[in-house]
Amino acid sequence: MSNKSKLRKEYLQIRENTSEDQMQYSEEGLLSMVRFNSDLFQGRKISCYSSIGREMPTHSLLDLLIEIGSEIYLPKIIENSKVLKFYKLENRQSLKKNKLGIYEPPDTEEIAPAYLDIILLPCVCFDEKGYRIGMGKGYYDHSLVNLSYPKPDIFIVAHEFQKVEECFPEGHDIKADGCITETKFYKF
């Protein structure tokens, strides 16, 4: 088992054991971080994931981003493809669960990743060099590989306890520009 696989397994277990109190604390802290940096997010085209399980919660974040005038796009997994498509979030009531249990938008207004201003990524863990370990399917790496400059700002969204010394990046791994946790906004 590779170092990356070991970290994924270890931090998935840690994340799954996160208490409800910690989840609430993390969500409130994340919202505070975004409010404090609202000039960065206001009026922008932002892709955000719809959280599941014990990922850093994003449902209130989606509401906040809309409230401050951002256009929100959610990723959608396309069958037999590793490349995500990004569709505008019209309202949360229109979201449907996919086969992995992730809420996705209907096929509304699509945007290419290059036209987004900010892309928010989930993770299993992250390091301070700008790398993350995801669930291992490579959807974001495949979807963002061809971005050229000027490219969107890419920020990982994570619980502070998901920070590790190193994520053992490989050539195909996308480097993020920062990470937002409940206590800190890291810039890489």
Side-chain angles (χ1 to χ4, degrees), residues 58-90:
T58 59
H59 299 106
S60 294
L61 175 62
L62 292 170
D63 293 338
L64 173 60
L65 292 170
I66 290 168
E67 183 182 307
I68 63 173
S70 301
E71 283 184 31
I72 304 304
Y73 295 83
L74 294 177
K76 187 169 186 173
I77 297 171
I78 306 306
E79 199 167 334
N80 300 318
S81 175
K82 291 276 189 181
V83 178
L84 299 167
K85 293 201 177 213
F86 298 85
Y87 291 99
K88 188 170 185 178
L89 174 63
E90 301 290 345

Side-chain angles (χ1 to χ4, degrees), residues 2-14 124-125 132-138 170:
S2 70
N3 289 333
K4 197 177 221 181
S5 296
K6 287 177 189 170
L7 270 179
R8 181 179 293 113
K9 183 176 180 181
E10 177 184 352
Y11 276 83
L12 277 172
Q13 186 62 51
I14 291 169
V124 172
C125 57
R132 64 187 263 285
I133 294 176
M135 296 298 289
K137 302 287 187 201
E170 300 171 59

Side-chain angles (χ1 to χ4, degrees), residues 14-56:
I14 291 169
R15 191 175 76 182
E16 279 309 305
N17 291 327
T18 305
S19 70
E20 283 300 322
D21 287 344
Q22 177 64 46
M23 292 295 290
Q24 185 173 351
Y25 171 78
S26 292
E27 182 176 36
E28 290 169 2
L30 173 65
L31 295 173
S32 293
M33 282 291 162
V34 171
R35 281 188 195 101
F36 185 77
N37 293 280
S38 63
D39 55 323
L40 177 65
F41 298 97
Q42 196 166 16
R44 310 287 298 278
K45 292 179 181 173
I46 301 173
S47 170
C48 184
Y49 63 97
S50 182
S51 59
I52 59 170
R54 296 297 189 191
E55 289 178 330
M56 176 61 94

Side-chain angles (χ1 to χ4, degrees), residues 38-176:
S38 63
D39 55 323
L40 177 65
F41 298 97
Q42 196 166 16
R44 310 287 298 278
K45 292 179 181 173
I46 301 173
S47 170
C48 184
Y49 63 97
S50 182
S51 59
I52 59 170
R54 296 297 189 191
E55 289 178 330
M56 176 61 94
T58 59
H59 299 106
S60 294
L61 175 62
L62 292 170
D63 293 338
L64 173 60
L65 292 170
I66 290 168
E67 183 182 307
I68 63 173
S70 301
E71 283 184 31
I72 304 304
Y73 295 83
L74 294 177
K76 187 169 186 173
I77 297 171
I78 306 306
E79 199 167 334
N80 300 318
S81 175
K82 291 276 189 181
V83 178
L84 299 167
K85 293 201 177 213
F86 298 85
Y87 291 99
K88 188 170 185 178
L89 174 63
E90 301 290 345
N91 61 67
R92 286 210 344 233
Q93 293 72 32
S94 67
L95 300 177
K96 301 274 189 249
K97 274 188 183 183
N98 68 15
K99 64 183 178 188
L100 300 175
I102 302 167
Y103 283 99
E104 295 179 327
D107 293 353
T108 56
E109 180 185 330
E110 184 180 352
I111 190 169
Y115 294 104
L116 291 162
D117 298 310
I118 297 172
I119 300 172
L120 301 176
L121 304 178
C123 75
V124 172
C125 57
F126 72 97
D127 65 28
E128 289 190 65
K129 297 173 193 118
Y131 292 99
R132 64 187 263 285
I133 294 176
M135 296 298 289
K137 302 287 187 201
Y139 287 114
Y140 283 102
D141 294 323
H142 284 92
S143 302
L144 306 179
V145 70
N146 292 321
L147 290 178
S148 57
Y149 292 93
K151 68 176 189 60
D153 290 323
I154 299 173
F155 300 127
I156 300 163
V157 180
H159 300 277
E160 185 66 32
F161 67 76
Q162 292 176 285
K163 183 173 70 171
V164 297
E165 192 67 36
E166 184 175 353
C167 284
F168 307 99
E170 300 171 59
H172 63 269
D173 290 328
I174 299 295
K175 185 179 184 300

